[in-house]
Amino acid sequence: GNSVTQMEGPVTLSEEAFLTINCTYTATGYPSLFWYVQYPGEGLQLLLKATKADDKGSNKGFEATYRKETTSFHLEKGSVQVSDSAVYFCALSDRTSQGNLIFGKGTKLSVKP
Amino acid sequence: GAGVSQSPSNKVTEKGKDVELRCDPISGHTALYWYRQRLGQGLEFLIYFQGNSAPDKSGLPSDRFSAERTGESVSTLTIQRTQQEDSAVYLCASSLAGTNTGELFFGEGSRLTVL
């Protein structure tokens, strides 16, 4: 069945460091891929998405590229800020799931000043 | 409010009791989802509503779990005869339509602790 695997956390970085959070997936067909973020005390919210191979999703300085050949959707940011501290979830949906998303376990990021 | 609202935010109950968790979706959102997040785990899909019908109940873990939705409004997730393994954060999300746009709007969750 479909699944998402993302790197285990927690990840602790200093401000302005480069961030990569790895995400790989297993899916039949051609899924859409997403990164959701959960800031402390808030609900999950969509950060970025990509709907087909080689698409790049971007938002708030974060980027992720849909790589079909490596079944990956790694999240990157060139210079993190303290305000980026949150839990990040990689997710996929496919045409048969009626909008249901399959999530990874989440990666907690802490950015120190 | 503008967002998805869930209540209670925290619930502590004794093993064997029934609990009801409530979700108020964003007005006009036809699709509604329930997920469960156990400690250290990802989000586990439970059930999906399109309007007040539930085309996908595949994620409900046992017959102790049930959910209903009134029209395109409030949904209630009921857990009967709670067990300790039911302890988790129960998340509700809504979206404009049950398509694969992927933009689900989540509430802050209801944290259930079964003693």
Side-chain angles (χ1 to χ4, degrees):
Chain A
N2 296 346
S3 66
V4 173
T5 303
Q6 59 181 107
M7 64 187 287
E8 303 244 348
V11 174
T12 302
L13 296 173
S14 297
E15 208 165 21
E16 299 184 3
F18 184 85
L19 169 71
T20 300
I21 300 178
N22 290 339
C23 172
T24 57
Y25 67 90
T26 301
T28 54
Y30 303 95
S32 295
L33 301 173
F34 310 88
W35 278 100
Y36 274 76
V37 59
Q38 186 174 29
Y39 298 105
E42 299 183 16
L44 276 79
Q45 56 188 272
L46 180 65
L47 179 60
L48 53 84
K49 69 178 182 181
T51 58
K52 61 183 188 295
D54 299 325
D55 267 4
K56 178 186 284 187
S58 61
N59 186 24
K60 300 183 180 180
F62 290 88
E63 292 184 339
T65 302
Y66 187 162
R67 301 285 188 201
K68 191 168 186 295
E69 63 276 15
T70 54
T71 61
S72 65
F73 193 55
H74 304 322
L75 182 68
E76 296 182 336
K77 186 174 185 181
S79 177
V80 293
Q81 305 300 311
V82 172
S83 57
D84 294 326
S85 298
V87 181
Y88 293 82
F89 294 88
C90 186
L92 70 81
S93 79
D94 63 34
R95 298 182 190 282
T96 64
S97 64
Q98 301 184 81
N100 169 28
L101 297 181
I102 297 168
F103 286 87
K105 293 185 178 182
T107 302
K108 183 176 181 179
L109 170 66
S110 295
V111 181
K112 307 296 185 185
Chain B
V4 176
S5 177
Q6 292 188 244
S7 61
S9 55
N10 275 289
K11 175 72 177 178
V12 179
T13 190
E14 293 179 347
K15 179 181 172 181
K17 301 281 190 183
D18 297 352
V19 296
E20 281 190 355
L21 307 176
R22 176 187 167 107
C23 173
D24 276 287
I26 293 172
S27 178
H29 280 193
T30 57
L32 186 146
Y33 308 80
W34 283 98
Y35 289 85
R36 176 170 74 175
Q37 185 178 23
R38 289 169 160 164
L39 189 64
Q41 302 298 311
L43 276 70
E44 176 187 3
F45 169 74
L46 297 179
I47 189 169
Y48 154 69
F49 287 92
Q50 179 61 36
N52 63 1
S53 66
D56 190 352
K57 304 180 182 179
S58 63
L60 293 178
S62 76
D63 59 7
R64 295 187 295 104
F65 287 72
S66 63
E68 61 180 27
R69 186 179 185 194
T70 306
E72 294 181 355
S73 185
V74 172
S75 175
T76 303
L77 177 68
T78 302
I79 309 172
Q80 296 178 308
R81 305 181 302 282
T82 52
Q83 303 295 312
Q84 289 182 332
E85 65 261 26
D86 299 334
S87 296
V89 177
Y90 290 83
L91 293 169
C92 176
S94 68
S95 71
L96 274 171
T99 65
N100 293 324
T101 61
E103 183 147 21
L104 304 186
F105 294 81
F106 282 83
E108 293 182 27
S110 293
R111 182 178 297 277
L112 174 65
T113 303
V114 182
L115 302 177

